[in-house]
């Protein structure tokens, strides 16, 4: 008997049995076993929460720095603590928040956008998270023992190559961040494979959501940008621990070599954190414009161009190091050229808003503010890309202002827009629009009050990284205003945090697809089940929820691919790279403590090496390798017969 002729009662019973098997197979463990979960919803939530906690901690350090600089000749904190605070502030924001929050959000959202039940390597995601947590606590916790790095988040030699000058802080920075970068690379591999191989049938590569394109581009950038920094970290540690002269000019080394290795990573890093946040705007703007995005192909090409060009302009951080004039000209031109694809993306958003019928909302308020701030920061970026101007502004507070305008406008405010937009999807309840508007204005005004005066402070000659300054030279009121703005910005962040954790508890569950979006992440009911999508749909357009109103009903009734878990295995669909033809059923491994154990042992290797316990570290390293192999073997046993072919929809 076919489904079409099956009595309604039998059909309902069949669907109920299927759902029960899916729920049992994908059930999140409870109690202490909860921490063995490896599915994307739990790991992504842990990742996001941990990244945000590091953001709050780094913000507290920034407030400490601004309190010290609020008035001249201040002695609120010591010079040593000040140096540790600004070093860890930059380190946390760049390495423990900016990149990890992108990967966290992508792990959380990407399977829903692809109508997949999970990413292809869930245990790799869990391993990456535990590595990130351990490494972050190790690096940031050092400040409580007066052992934090204190030479800036860039650790320029020769100041940092002598252990007698820096103590153990530089080793904590170098080895701790090398460990954290393992987590970033692991997540990048997971996301790239997920985008290329786990799309639903019919989602060709030229019809997948723009967020997926950005994830693919940024994942590739991480794979190319992080290895130079890891190589530099290894060379740096060899010089500090073994006396090898890579960066010692007196013994034939070159301290500028570190700058090249660091900024080959460091400038793509700016776009690694910028592009994923712009990707959130690419999902938000069409929803509230009530129309597909204009220039889909143009924005994809612009994102690819931005990623490509970002690897060719790192030297504009080094214009004052005495490089040849031809190098200055080339890298200055490359720095100006990157404004073209970046501008294309901005114009696409503006055109979509003008062509559509905009709906006012809190996410769009943050999106508009982000675009305004980023454009201003981009203009000052064009200024510092010109070598003669950079010679004047370099190492001044003008550069501090430019950096924060680009990062806050290009990364933080879009992230808050995404938080208000996607919070119902993750937590089943909407954040308050009234509080959200107050949060926006506190953050928007506080940010501009804090950082706009820094342009003038820098042009008046205030250098970066100074512990204090004398009064009466034109910096007093500007610094006091900046510190007041920082407090206002922090108040907005704290109000958001209160609403996201406590205020949300008093609200009812969100309705399904509360924004009326057209992409697949809003396909499932709210709150969703542990298994995600009820059945994997075949689609034929970029906005299937707008173009096929019956799609949610068919999916809920289990009339698409993989509506069941007959053998009690976690399954998702694998499709071809270009045209998303169904190829096979992928069985992914289930919950396990092995990723946590492997991460703890891997982290112990780096921590023991920091304290020069090399033989113990070697023994633990062997144990770490064995634990990884054991986890892989268990995963293979779980996923045996995973190549079961998929020929037709259920």
């Amino acid at each position: 008997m076919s489904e079409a002729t099956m009595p309604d009662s039998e059909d309902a019973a069949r669907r109920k049995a299927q759902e029960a098997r899916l729920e049992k197979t994908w059930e999140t463990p409870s109690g202490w076993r909860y921490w063995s979960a490896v599915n994307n919803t739990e790991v992504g939530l842990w990742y996001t929460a941990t990244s945000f906690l590091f953001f709050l901690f780094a913000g507290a350090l920034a407030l400490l720095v601004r309190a010290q600089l609020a008035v001249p000749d201040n002695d609120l904190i010591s010079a040593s603590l000040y140096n540790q605070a600004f070093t860890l502030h930059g380190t946390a924001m760049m390495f423990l928040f900016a990149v990890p929050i992108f990967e966290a959000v992508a792990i959380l959202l990407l399977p829903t956008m692809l109508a997949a039940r999970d990413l292809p390597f869930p245990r790799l995601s869990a391993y990456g998270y535990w590595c990130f947590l351990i490494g972050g606590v190790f690096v940031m916790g050092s400040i409580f023992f007066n052992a934090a790095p204190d030479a800036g988040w860039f650790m320029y030699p020769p100041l940092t190559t002598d252990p007698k000058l820096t103590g153990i802080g530089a080793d904590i920075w170098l080895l701790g961040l090398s460990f954290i970068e393992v987590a970033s690379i692991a997540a990048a591999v997971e996301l790239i494979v997920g985008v290329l191989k786990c799309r639903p049938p019919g989602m060709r590569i030229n019809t997948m959501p723009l967020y997926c394109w950005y994830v693919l581009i940024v994942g590739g950038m991480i794979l190319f940008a992080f290895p130079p920094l890891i190589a530099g970290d290894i060379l740096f540690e060899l010089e500090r621990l073994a006396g090898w002269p890579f960066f010692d000019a007196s013994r034939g080394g070159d301290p500028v070599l570190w700058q090249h290795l660091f900024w080959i990573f460091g400038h793509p890093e700016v776009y690694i954190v910028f592009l994923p946040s712009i990707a959130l705007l690419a999902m938000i703007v069409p929803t509230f414009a009530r129309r597909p995005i204009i220039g889909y192909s143009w924005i994809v090409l612009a994102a690819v161009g931005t990623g490509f060009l970002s690897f060719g302009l790192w030297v504009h951080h080094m214009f004052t190091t005495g490089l040849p004039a031809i190098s200055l000209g080339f890298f200055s031109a490359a720095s100006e050229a990157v404004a073209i694809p970046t501008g294309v993306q901005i114009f696409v958003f503006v055109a979509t808003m003008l062509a559509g019928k905009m709906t006012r909302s809190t996410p769009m308020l943050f999106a508009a503010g982000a675009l305004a701030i980023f454009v201003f920061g981009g203009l000052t970026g064009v200024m510092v890309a010109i070598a003669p101007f950079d010679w004047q502004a370099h190492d001044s507070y003008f550069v501090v202002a430019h950096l924060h305008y680009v990062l806050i406008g290009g990364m933080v405010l879009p992230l808050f827009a995404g938080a208000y937009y996607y919070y119902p999807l993750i937590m089943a309840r909407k954040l308050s629009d009234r509080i959200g508007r107050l949060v926006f204005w506190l953050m928007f005004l506080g940010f501009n009050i804090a950082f706009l005066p820094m342009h003038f402070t820098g042009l008046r000659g205030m250098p970066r990284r100074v512990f204090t300054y004398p009064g009466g030279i034109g910096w007093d009121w500007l610094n006091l205003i900046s510190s007041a703005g920082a407090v206002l910005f922090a108040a907005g962040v704290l109000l958001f945090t209160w609403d996201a954790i406590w205020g949300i508890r008093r609200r009812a569950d969100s309705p399904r697809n509360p924004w009326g979006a057209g992409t697949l992440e809003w396909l499932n009911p709210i709150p969703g089940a542990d298994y995600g999508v009820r059945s994997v749909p075949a689609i034929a357009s970029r906005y299937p929820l707008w173009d096929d109103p019956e799609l949610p009903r068919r999916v809920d009734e289990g009339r698409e691919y993989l509506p069941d878990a007959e053998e009690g295995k976690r399954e998702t669909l694998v499709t071809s790279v270009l045209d998303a033809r169904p190829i096979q059923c992928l069985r992914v491994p289930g919950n396990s403590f092995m990723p946590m154990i492997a991460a703890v042992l891997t982290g112990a290797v780096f921590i023991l090496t920091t304290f020069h316990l090399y033989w113990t570290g070697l023994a633990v390293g062997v144990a770490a390798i064995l634990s990884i192999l054991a986890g892989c073997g268990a995963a293979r046993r779980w996923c045996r017969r995973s190549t079961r072919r998929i020929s037709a929809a259920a």
Side-chain angles (χ1 to χ4, degrees):
M1 181 182 296
S2 67
E3 290 183 10
T5 59
M6 186 181 296
D8 290 343
S9 58
E10 293 184 21
D11 190 32
R14 177 187 60 84
R15 292 201 303 268
K16 188 174 181 180
Q18 290 177 342
E19 291 177 12
R21 286 189 288 269
L22 285 170
E23 288 173 357
K24 182 179 180 181
T25 301
W26 290 90
E27 182 181 13
T28 299
S30 58
W32 62 273
R33 292 190 59 83
Y34 171 73
W35 302 106
S36 69
V38 298
N39 56 305
N40 73 289
T41 52
E42 303 305 325
V43 173
L45 193 60
W46 302 342
Y47 228 135
T48 304
T50 305
S51 300
F52 189 72
L53 287 175
F54 284 130
F55 170 74
L56 294 178
F57 187 76
L61 294 177
L63 289 177
L64 188 63
V65 168
R66 286 314 317 169
Q68 171 64 23
L69 295 176
V71 294
D73 299 313
N74 198 358
D75 60 355
L76 176 66
I77 59 175
S78 66
S80 175
L81 181 57
Y82 178 87
N83 289 338
Q84 293 180 47
F86 85 73
T87 298
L88 284 186
H89 166 72
T91 298
M93 286 299 189
M94 296 304 291
F95 295 100
L96 298 176
F97 173 66
V99 174
I101 197 70
F102 145 65
E103 295 177 326
V105 172
I107 289 172
L108 202 54
L109 295 182
L110 193 62
T112 63
M113 291 185 182
L114 300 177
R117 295 220 167 92
D118 206 338
L119 292 170
F121 312 121
R123 290 191 181 179
L124 183 62
S125 295
Y127 173 75
Y129 166 73
W130 292 112
C131 287
F132 164 66
L133 174 64
I134 296 167
V137 170
F138 175 60
V139 174
M140 299 304 290
S142 60
I143 196 170
F144 298 108
F145 301 93
N146 197 31
D150 57 3
W153 70 281
F154 33 76
M155 300 296 285
Y156 283 165
L159 175 64
T160 53
T161 48
D162 187 350
K164 295 179 181 178
L165 294 177
T166 59
I168 202 171
D171 298 312
I172 291 174
W173 190 92
L174 290 163
L175 292 171
L177 290 186
S178 296
F179 180 47
I180 293 167
E181 287 149 17
V182 171
S184 297
I185 293 175
V189 171
E190 173 83 297
L191 296 173
I192 290 171
V193 178
V195 170
L196 292 178
K197 298 298 293 180
C198 293
R199 302 195 307 274
M203 184 182 279
R204 300 187 304 275
I205 200 163
N206 64 334
T207 60
M208 66 183 184
L210 286 171
Y211 187 87
C212 300
W213 269 110
Y214 279 97
V215 167
L216 184 62
I217 293 164
V218 174
M221 292 173 68
I222 288 174
L223 295 185
F224 283 96
F226 277 64
L229 181 61
I230 295 174
D233 288 345
I234 294 172
L235 299 182
F236 214 126
E237 271 302 303
L238 286 173
E239 178 160 337
R240 285 180 55 85
L241 300 179
W244 294 18
F246 294 109
F247 309 113
D248 186 349
S250 65
R251 294 187 290 161
D254 187 354
V256 178
L257 172 61
W258 168 258
Q259 293 194 37
H260 281 291
L261 290 172
F262 184 84
W263 290 116
I264 286 174
F265 149 81
H267 202 82
E269 161 90 346
V270 174
Y271 294 96
I272 286 171
V273 304
F274 162 69
L275 290 175
S277 296
I278 291 298
L280 292 172
L281 299 188
M283 305 303 292
I284 293 169
V285 169
T287 295
F288 294 105
R290 298 300 181 220
R291 59 151 298 135
I293 198 159
I294 290 176
Y296 176 95
S297 299
W298 283 103
I299 199 169
V300 170
L301 291 173
V304 173
T306 301
F308 179 78
L309 288 173
S310 70
F311 282 90
L313 45 88
W314 77 90
V315 173
H316 80 217
H317 294 272
M318 304 166 57
F319 281 167
T320 61
T321 57
L323 295 171
I326 189 170
S327 296
L328 297 181
F330 173 82
F331 286 101
S332 179
S335 301
E336 302 285 354
V338 78
I340 297 173
T342 304
V344 168
Q345 295 170 76
I346 303 300
F347 284 126
V348 164
F349 295 142
V350 173
T352 302
M353 287 189 282
L354 292 175
K357 187 177 181 181
M358 289 303 302
T359 303
R360 292 185 179 182
S361 67
T362 303
M364 275 307 303
L365 187 62
F366 277 93
L371 293 176
I373 290 176
F374 179 77
V375 168
F376 186 89
L379 292 175
T380 58
V382 172
M383 294 169 66
V384 296
I386 301 172
F389 180 84
D390 184 76
W391 293 337
Q392 307 303 314
H394 189 80
D395 211 29
S396 76
Y397 260 78
F398 187 93
V399 178
V400 176
H402 157 68
L403 174 67
H404 285 83
Y405 262 85
V406 171
L407 291 182
I408 300 292
M411 186 259 171
V412 175
L413 286 183
L415 191 64
F416 274 81
Y420 277 91
Y421 183 68
Y422 281 117
Y423 209 84
L425 183 67
I426 306 305
M427 303 303 293
R429 297 175 183 178
K430 292 177 66 175
L431 293 167
S432 168
D433 288 325
R434 181 176 57 86
I435 295 177
R437 288 190 292 271
L438 180 57
V439 168
F440 170 78
W441 287 113
L442 285 171
M443 293 179 66
F444 185 81
L445 295 175
F447 169 79
N448 284 285
I449 292 170
F451 292 100
L452 186 60
M454 289 186 189
H455 294 91
F456 305 105
T457 312
L459 293 175
R460 290 188 175 193
M462 183 172 178
R464 304 167 68 179
R465 302 181 292 278
V466 292
F467 159 63
T468 189
Y469 55 92
I473 56 176
W475 303 345
D476 306 29
W477 282 103
L478 291 172
N479 274 297
L480 183 60
I481 292 170
S482 290
S483 296
V487 172
L488 197 62
F489 184 86
V493 174
L494 291 177
L495 183 58
F496 167 83
T497 305
W498 177 87
D499 190 34
I501 298 175
W502 288 284
I504 198 74
R505 299 178 181 180
R506 295 179 289 179
R507 301 189 192 107
D509 286 348
S510 168
R512 188 172 190 165
N513 194 3
W515 310 114
T519 43
L520 286 179
E521 69 267 30
W522 299 103
L523 174 63
N524 297 332
I526 295 178
D530 289 338
Y531 53 78
V533 67
R534 174 65 178 82
S535 56
V536 181
I539 64 170
S541 69
R542 291 176 183 148
Y543 297 91
L545 298 187
W546 286 347
D547 300 331
D548 185 2
E550 291 297 310
L551 181 62
R553 180 186 60 79
R554 295 200 307 273
V555 168
D556 289 350
E557 292 177 355
R559 303 193 184 280
E560 302 287 336
Y561 290 83
L562 298 182
D564 200 350
E566 297 176 9
E567 299 178 22
K569 300 293 185 181
R570 296 187 172 191
E571 297 177 335
T572 191
L573 202 60
V574 172
T575 54
S576 58
V577 171
L578 294 180
D579 55 2
R581 289 180 295 100
I583 296 177
Q584 67 186 46
C585 168
L586 173 66
R587 287 179 177 164
V588 296
N591 303 319
S592 172
F593 281 108
M594 287 307 299
M596 181 196 295
I597 295 170
V600 169
L601 292 173
T602 308
V605 175
F606 287 88
I607 294 171
L608 291 168
T609 304
T610 302
F611 294 99
H612 304 175
L613 301 173
Y614 302 117
W615 290 109
T616 307
L618 180 61
V620 174
V622 172
I625 293 172
L626 293 176
S627 68
I628 292 171
L629 293 176
C632 292
R636 282 196 299 271
R637 289 192 297 273
W638 179 277
C639 302
R640 65 185 182 274
R641 299 191 306 278
S642 64
T643 57
R644 178 162 62 88
R645 293 284 169 173
I646 300 295
S647 58

